[in-house]
Amino acid sequence: MVEAKVRKQYNQMAAMYDRLWSHYVSNTLSFLKDWAKISSTNVVLDIACGTGEFERLVLVEYPTQQIVGVDLSEKMLEIAQQKCRAYPNVSFQNATASVLPFAECSFDVIVSASAFHYFDDPIAALTEIKRVLKPEGEIIILDWCKDYLLCQIYDIVLKIIDPAYKQCYTQTEFHCLIVNTGLEIHRATRVRFGLAWELMIVTARLGQ
Ligand SMILES: C[S@@+](CC[C@H](N)C(=O)[O-])C[C@H]1O[C@@H](n2cnc3c(N)ncnc32)[C@H](O)[C@@H]1O
């Protein structure tokens, strides 16, 4: 199962993750934070939160923001917990995106960064996201975009060498998954970070 491989890989990488990926993580998560324009009163869920860098960025601006992070990797979560230990309004849980341990209509904003390409069952994850989102809430997903040549190459190579990797999507495929789950796309774009990284972001809401 892909999830067991993801957990193993990120448990092994956790101690080095922030150092290895610092440039990528700070660029992508700053972009996500600016795009999301989260209000300080929003209750936020971060799916596949990793080492809690998004939480750290948000808390610098809004120290009382209520945020819950979930991730498959216990070791990534330990680092996130350590980073955010001064903030009682922030919590972390070990869970998969496809079975979220929350009641319906719990969150104003749900974000997920650089993780959708690991999701074994993206429709199950989107269905869960939809279930726990409040009626007026927003979902913001940032991930690699297969419209770009480099991502097409990463996709081919990672499918061969990385057992945890599932696949990345073109913007059209990604939007189809979202719309087929009954969500409406509100805002979307593609974005490059330096020469190596080409991503897409979408803000979606519950359909009428
Ligand atoms: C590249 S890291 C991104 C972490 C963080 N979002 C960031 O931008 O720094 C991918 C994370 O996704 C998590 N992940 C992958 N598949 C997942 C799933 N199905 N449910 C929850 N977490 C998952 C991994 O454990 C890992 O921490």
Side-chain angles (χ1 to χ4, degrees):
M1 197 177 175
V2 172
E3 285 190 0
K5 292 169 184 163
V6 172
R7 181 178 297 110
K8 186 174 172 204
Q9 182 175 107
Y10 277 93
N11 277 344
Q12 284 169 349
M13 200 202 298
M16 294 170 291
Y17 181 83
D18 282 350
R19 218 169 341 112
L20 280 180
W21 290 96
S22 66
H23 200 58
Y24 173 91
V25 168
S26 82
N27 282 336
T28 54
L29 295 183
S30 301
F31 175 80
L32 172 63
K33 181 175 162 290
D34 291 347
W35 174 276
K37 294 190 175 60
I38 295 170
S39 143
S40 61
T41 55
N42 285 162
V43 181
V44 181
L45 172 64
D46 180 6
I47 295 182
C49 62
T51 59
E53 269 304 292
F54 184 70
E55 287 63 33
R56 198 186 59 76
L57 268 183
V58 172
L59 292 165
V60 168
E61 199 169 335
Y62 298 125
T64 58
Q65 188 88 47
Q66 278 192 64
I67 319 181
V68 181
V70 296
D71 201 281
L72 274 178
S73 159
E74 301 86 353
K75 297 285 178 197
M76 295 289 272
L77 288 172
E78 276 174 20
I79 293 169
Q81 256 147 3
Q82 183 66 14
K83 243 179 229 176
C84 299
R85 65 187 184 283
Y87 301 91
N89 40 306
V90 180
S91 63
F92 295 97
Q93 293 197 36
N94 187 209
T96 165
S98 51
V99 188
L100 294 170
F102 308 110
E104 287 172 22
C105 308
S106 296
F107 299 97
D108 299 295
V109 177
I110 301 179
V111 300
S112 182
S114 301
F116 205 78
H117 55 271
Y118 288 113
F119 292 176
D120 210 6
D121 186 347
I123 291 283
L126 288 168
T127 305
E128 272 296 83
I129 289 171
K130 192 178 152 196
R131 182 182 67 76
V132 302
L133 186 71
K134 288 185 184 174
E136 306 301 320
E138 283 193 339
I139 298 158
I140 300 144
I141 303 174
L142 174 70
D143 199 31
W144 301 353
C145 180
K146 207 177 154 189
D147 291 331
Y148 295 106
L149 180 64
L150 267 178
C151 280
Q152 291 165 19
I153 295 168
Y154 298 155
D155 190 60
I156 292 167
V157 174
L158 290 174
K159 277 177 180 160
I160 297 166
I161 65 164
D162 181 356
Y165 179 80
K166 176 78 178 174
Q167 73 168 105
C168 62
Y169 302 89
T170 65
Q171 193 182 37
T172 305
E173 289 167 343
F174 185 48
H175 288 190
C176 275
L177 287 171
I178 290 167
V179 170
N180 289 343
T181 315
L183 295 162
E184 274 176 9
I185 291 171
H186 174 61
R187 208 156 67 100
T189 194
R190 291 183 293 207
V191 55
R192 282 173 192 263
F193 299 99
L195 292 177
W197 296 106
E198 295 156 334
L199 283 81
M200 57 193 164
I201 190 162
V202 66
T203 298
R205 294 174 177 165
L206 296 179
Q208 296 306 311

